[in-house]
Amino acid sequence: MSDVGTLPERESMEFDVVIVGAGPAGLSAAIRLKQLDPDLSVVVLEKGSEVGAHILSGCVLDPSALDRLLPEWRGEGGPDAIPVEAERFHVYGPQGGIRLPTMLMPKLMHNRGCFVVELGPLCRWLAEKA
């Protein structure tokens, strides 16, 4: 009978950097770290069965950060990115809705130059780059 206080030896692996979460931020961090120092050992831990398994939504992506991180991303067969071509703002209430003029919206709400993307495929593509 073994002693309760004695545990079997565990396997271990050493890394310079451990990133928890394979979402857009974690994967971008891994890519940037390897760009800065290719010899750095970086691992990304993901709780899902695969990268993107827990990311089910889409978003409006401002491409400026992705342009700085991976300047050639548009020509590399990345995820489908649909350019924002028009914007409409509506206010809804119990009696229905009304459309607001775009010029009344703050600049933060304007999305021209951005893309509509699914985050799951975007993360899987970033994982390939990482």
Side-chain angles (χ1 to χ4, degrees):
M1 193 167 220
S2 67
D3 184 10
V4 175
T6 306
L7 296 174
E9 217 168 295
R10 293 185 171 185
E11 182 179 335
S12 67
M13 299 171 73
E14 294 200 14
F15 298 95
D16 295 318
V17 178
V18 176
I19 297 172
V20 178
L27 293 166
S28 295
I31 291 168
R32 186 65 182 138
L33 286 168
K34 291 297 281 186
Q35 287 173 339
L36 293 172
D37 184 356
D39 296 327
L40 200 63
S41 62
V42 179
V43 66
V44 179
L45 301 177
E46 170 58 34
K47 68 180 178 182
S49 59
E50 65 181 12
V51 172
H54 288 132
I55 299 178
L56 302 176
S57 64
C59 74
V60 175
L61 173 72
D62 178 348
S64 59
L66 197 52
D67 287 338
R68 285 192 300 269
L69 182 67
L70 298 166
E72 305 297 322
W73 74 272
R74 290 182 179 146
E76 291 185 356
D80 291 336
I82 301 165
V84 173
E85 295 178 0
E87 300 167 315
R88 294 188 197 117
F89 296 98
H90 297 263
V91 175
Y92 293 97
Q95 303 301 318
I98 60 168
R99 184 173 173 188
L100 298 177
T102 306
M103 67 181 172
L104 295 179
M105 303 309 295
K107 189 176 180 180
L108 173 67
M109 301 290 289
H110 293 262
N111 295 307
R112 297 281 173 112
C114 295
F115 296 89
V116 176
V117 298
E118 287 182 77
L119 288 176
L122 174 66
C123 288
R124 284 188 284 280
W125 180 78
L126 285 172
E128 290 174 16
K129 297 298 175 190

